[in-house]
Amino acid sequence: MTDSTSIRVPAELERKMDEAIARYPSDHRRGAAMPLLHLWQEHFGFIGDEAILWIATKLGLQPISILELVTFYPMFRQHPPGKTHIRVCRTLSCAMAGGFEVMENLCTAFGIPPPPDREGWHNPITVSADGNYSVEFVECLASCHTAPVCMVGEQLHENVDPTSAADLVRHRQSARSSPAATGNPHSHPPHHLEHRLIFKNIGRPDWTTDIDCYLRGGGYEQLKQAVTMSRSDIVNKVKNSGLRGRGGAGFSCGLKWSFIKLDEKRPVYLICNADESEPGTFKDRYIIHEDPHQLLEGILISCYALNARTAYVYIRGEFPKGAKILERAIEEARTHNFLGKNILGSGFDAEVYVHRGAGAYICGEETGLIESLEGKRGYPRIKPPYFPAVLGLYMCPTIVNNVETLCHIKHIVAMGGAEYARLGRPNNTGTRIMCVSGDVQRPGYFEIEVGAVTMGQLIYEMAGGLKPGRKLKAVIPGGSSAKVLRADERFKLKQRQAGGSTIEVELSIDDIPMDFDSLTAAGSMAGSGGVIVLDDSRDMVWVLNNINEFYAHESCGQCTPCREGSLWMKKITDRMLRGGGVVEDPKTLKTIGDNIAGRTICAFGEACAWPTQSFVEKFPEEFAARAQKPVPPSLPPEYTPEELIEEELIPTVPMAHDPGWEKAGAKGTI
């Protein structure tokens, strides 16, 4: 690999950089830092010291402002990779399907020594002796239903066979020989329990991503309708629809929009959150890859309603193909006067730009995303005062909505708010895309009316049920941060009757309606719609350890409870798995979780604490079985995790204070 620090920047590369810089306000050029880093790394392979100095000079920044990005965002590399770079997903659904075996077999095939105890595969990347191949573990690649997956260069490979992973890389051919052979969800028509609204075009053999196809299907008709309406009418339609955010929090979209003043004098910004990073979730990927103009139409209607003249699509860095598809869709829409100057003769101007992230889960949090979009580390802001609708991007009013949420806007304009609200249930209106992965026979995506399908119907009818001979053990219903539900639990929920009254009913897990309120009442949440199914073959300590490693890796490090607590929980569950668990570990895990949740700037605290709190509470027998050794004394001898794992007998009596501890040695003997 050529050393980037010894090469002059080609004119074509600098031209692309200038184009990227032009997408940001002239007094906020720092926002272009990440696009420039992506362009540099794509050309040279890595980002060396000279690259940091060059980009800093280009943007009029201090080098530290660029270096802090390179050291924060996992996708940026400071050292050359192999000629072929492979990223293997290690998060839960892929790990359950053989992701670790994929990595081990790749290392064996290419002569790359694996790190001890499967640690250290995140960073730095590991390069083969001949320099031809390099591998690294990455977090969720948002294709959980086709697990295990990996990226070879910029190409995603799904349903990878662990035993032939090396052949896949050498020959650069898709792991999927045919849709029928691998259970590609596209090969199945919509299930009769589905109500496809957002996904009506996904998987259609006659559907393409170009604008002509979209226009033939009635595309941009709602934009044409919207620009003839008043802004307040559109906002009221969204309010009346009852639409709740589909990104995870479930906050009222119309209420969020109403925070923007109709006579706002400052610039208003709209941000589409396409940083789909929650393990178990893979819906936004398909909208972007297969129906980009639907998203773009939703964005443009929203811009008009909010009087936002600039919108940014913050897309995952791991979606390089999706970013290119969106860029092409934007230019197609521009040629038809659907964006740019004087849209459809309405006098309204709007521009839409694509901004790639770089592998940081925390940027899914709206204020962390805004910080990242401004060219900084994705550190979430304190709310109050930094509510985005008041002090958002560049300290201006900003609305941040999820991909799926924005797609619903065009359908609300088409149907009307009241008619849309007839879909689903009260306070849980519209449709919702559920992503099912894990131990089911037919993992995939399913668009349902919110609350019209139960958990049992989703798992057993739509997703094909458990694998042969297996029984349901647990379900994580809303992405990896949702609290786990045990299969043999009973849940007390309040149900609204036809006359408006409510009664309390006791339900099994199979009977829980898949809506926001029911899952909250059951002690979990609907979250991002990622349903991970666990059968009776799964070790719950292993499952939690995988989740803990994700959150330990993804903590931004700004808040002490998250920074220290997430890593502490991961170290404990890792030690328990390796035979070093002590009797106090389950209690310690819960205590750590209790001291993280509610004590951080953003909701990442709850996201990393809730899995530990719920797994330890719901499966105490499994955690107790992994925590059999006595607690070492609080005074010397002090034991390292390795010693706790290796030692069969742990003495519980501390050494006397005199003579001095320094004479005692590691084993507490003089």
Side-chain angles (χ1 to χ4, degrees), residues 269-418:
Y269 292 95
L270 174 68
I271 301 174
C272 171
N273 186 345
D275 192 47
E276 185 174 51
S277 309
E278 179 79 10
T281 315
F282 45 86
K283 56 191 176 64
D284 297 345
R285 165 191 286 279
Y286 285 98
I287 296 170
I288 292 166
H289 281 76
E290 298 193 28
D291 203 358
H293 283 285
Q294 178 185 202
L295 172 59
L296 196 52
E297 184 173 8
I299 289 172
L300 291 167
I301 294 170
S302 303
C303 281
Y304 179 78
L306 298 165
N307 199 26
R309 305 304 175 106
T310 304
Y312 290 99
V313 180
Y314 188 103
I315 188 171
R316 285 197 72 178
E318 295 89 342
F319 290 178
K321 181 181 177 182
K324 292 174 183 175
I325 290 171
L326 281 173
E327 295 275 14
R328 184 169 61 248
I330 288 168
E331 292 311 309
E332 288 177 335
R334 189 186 307 281
T335 62
H336 286 73
N337 193 220
F338 294 136
L339 64 79
K341 299 289 185 181
N342 191 24
I343 294 173
L344 298 173
S346 65
F348 179 70
D349 305 338
E351 290 293 342
V352 181
Y353 302 115
V354 177
H355 181 104
R356 288 181 66 197
Y361 169 82
I362 194 63
C363 293
E365 196 278 335
E366 59 180 3
T367 62
L369 184 156
I370 290 170
E371 285 284 298
S372 181
L373 188 54
E374 291 183 357
K376 295 176 279 187
R377 288 186 167 195
Y379 288 152
R381 298 172 177 175
I382 295 174
K383 296 184 287 188
Y386 296 107
F387 290 108
V390 181
L391 297 170
L393 184 64
Y394 313 130
M395 293 294 116
C396 291
T398 304
I399 293 295
V400 183
N401 283 138
N402 166 260
V403 169
E404 184 186 351
T405 308
L406 288 167
C407 288
H408 279 281
I409 300 302
K410 70 158 283 181
H411 299 286
I412 291 169
V413 171
M415 300 170 65

Side-chain angles (χ1 to χ4, degrees), residues 596-612:
I596 297 174
R599 291 170 169 83
T600 55
I601 287 175
C602 79
F604 187 96
E606 286 74 23
C608 73
W610 283 349
T612 291

Side-chain angles (χ1 to χ4, degrees), residues 476-654:
I476 303 172
S480 65
S481 57
K483 290 185 176 181
V484 68
L485 300 177
R486 187 166 171 145
D488 56 4
E489 282 186 88
R490 303 291 295 180
F491 305 91
K492 291 184 178 180
L493 278 67
K494 290 183 178 180
Q495 287 189 345
R496 186 181 297 275
Q497 303 301 294
S501 61
T502 59
I503 60 170
E504 186 173 87
V505 295
E506 187 173 277
L507 303 175
S508 70
I509 193 171
D510 292 342
D511 298 324
I512 299 174
M514 296 301 291
D515 63 51
F516 294 97
D517 296 339
S518 296
L519 287 167
T520 299
S524 189
M525 65 175 180
S528 59
V531 179
I532 304 174
V533 180
L534 307 170
D535 69 24
D536 57 355
S537 69
R538 297 301 171 187
D539 177 346
M540 294 294 106
V541 181
W542 179 88
V543 172
L544 178 60
N545 187 60
N546 184 280
I547 295 172
N548 281 348
E549 185 166 345
F550 171 79
Y551 289 107
H553 180 261
E554 295 298 335
S555 172
C556 75
Q558 182 177 203
C559 302
T560 302
C562 271
R563 182 182 65 248
E564 304 300 326
S566 59
L567 183 60
W568 192 1
M569 292 189 296
K570 180 261 179 184
K571 287 181 176 179
I572 291 175
T573 51
D574 187 65
R575 175 167 49 77
M576 291 173 72
L577 277 180
R578 294 162 60 195
V582 300
V583 293
E584 287 292 313
D585 280 342
K587 180 181 177 182
T588 303
L589 281 169
K590 184 180 184 304
T591 300
I592 298 169
D594 292 346
N595 282 282
I596 297 174
R599 291 170 169 83
T600 55
I601 287 175
C602 79
F604 187 96
E606 286 74 23
C608 73
W610 283 349
T612 291
Q613 290 173 318
S614 60
F615 271 89
V616 173
E617 177 189 350
K618 299 294 179 68
F619 299 96
E621 68 285 352
E622 294 196 35
F623 283 84
R626 293 277 195 174
Q628 295 290 315
K629 291 183 176 180
V631 180
S634 55
L635 300 176
E638 294 178 354
Y639 283 80
T640 65
E642 289 71 23
E643 288 174 327
L644 284 172
I645 293 164
E646 294 167 2
E647 296 288 341
E648 291 294 329
L649 299 175
I650 305 295
T652 59
V653 180

